Amino acid sequence: MAVRTVLHMGGPLLLKVAEPVQEFDTPDLHTLIGDMFDTMAALDGAGLAAPQIGVSLRVVIFGVESNPRYPDVEAVPTTVLINPTIEVIGKETNEGWEGCLSVPGMRGLVPRYSHIRYSGRDQFGARIEREAKDFHARVVQHECDHLDGILYPRRIRDLSQFGFEEALFPQEE
Ligand code: NI
């Protein structure tokens, strides 16, 4: 497994609609997912989509451990989600700050649906179906957007709420 180069916003592959995975439990798919986890861990991300490492397939990973240092951050189960679909439950949205490994150093305030049901398969082809709210739902929507060529800055309503992390949050370490 290996840490791969993450494409940055402007890279044309990040704008493409990714292709569905056809075969599960293959060596290529396991290598891809292993590389994605290594890359996400090395860059301390909460999620990663295959197109971000240059592979235009409908594969995302995400996961956030609960951390006593960041009590406001909700834990999200470590998940491999392939060929995902999202169904919105209710119409409620909320705004939250997002970052992206493809837009390093920046943050933006992004509206997302508060409550969703998502489904797809894991790397072995087993079906996944879950309901998610709030931060968990936000992470899934952010990652799945990558599969349709959408980076979070396109979702920002008010571009005054988009900028460099250290300028937006100067009090943080
Ligand atoms: Ni992202």
Side-chain angles (χ1 to χ4, degrees):
M1 302 304 158
V3 174
R4 303 268 293 263
T5 302
V6 173
L7 301 180
H8 288 171
M9 185 169 65
L13 199 137
L14 291 173
L15 297 171
K16 279 184 63 177
V17 175
E19 296 291 329
V21 169
Q22 307 285 2
E23 272 192 276
F24 296 88
D25 201 14
T26 63
D28 282 355
L29 185 58
H30 291 305
T31 299
L32 170 65
I33 288 161
D35 287 356
M36 288 172 69
F37 273 109
D38 287 352
T39 304
M40 183 172 84
L43 298 174
D44 204 19
L48 190 71
Q52 293 182 273
I53 59 165
V55 177
S56 195
L57 287 172
R58 302 187 79 78
V59 178
V60 303
I61 63 169
F62 50 84
V64 179
E65 285 177 28
S66 62
N67 184 332
R69 282 180 62 205
Y70 306 103
D72 296 343
V73 177
E74 302 158 46
V76 178
T78 298
T79 303
V80 173
L81 187 64
I82 299 173
N83 301 345
T85 57
I86 293 178
E87 181 192 339
V88 175
I89 301 175
K91 286 278 176 269
E92 191 191 321
T93 61
N94 68 89
E95 295 210 310
W97 289 98
E98 294 188 13
C100 180
L101 297 178
S102 294
V103 193
M106 302 194 81
R107 294 285 184 91
L109 194 61
V110 182
R112 297 285 185 188
Y113 290 106
S114 301
H115 190 187
I116 63 170
R117 180 179 294 115
Y118 65 91
S119 56
R121 299 197 178 268
D122 72 9
Q123 63 270 51
F124 302 101
R127 177 111 180 132
I128 294 169
E129 187 168 339
R130 287 191 194 132
E131 270 188 47
K133 288 184 174 176
D134 304 321
F135 182 63
H136 182 177
R138 172 174 298 281
V139 169
V140 173
Q141 289 169 84
H142 175 116
E143 295 312 325
C144 291
D145 260 359
H146 278 294
L147 305 182
D148 293 324
I150 297 169
L151 298 180
Y152 80 82
R154 283 173 60 187
R155 299 281 191 197
I156 297 171
R157 276 200 201 118
D158 174 0
L159 281 169
S160 71
Q161 305 296 299
F162 179 47
F164 291 93
E165 206 166 357
E166 81 281 2
L168 286 162
F169 307 109
Q171 75 284 5
E172 289 185 5
E173 311 168 63

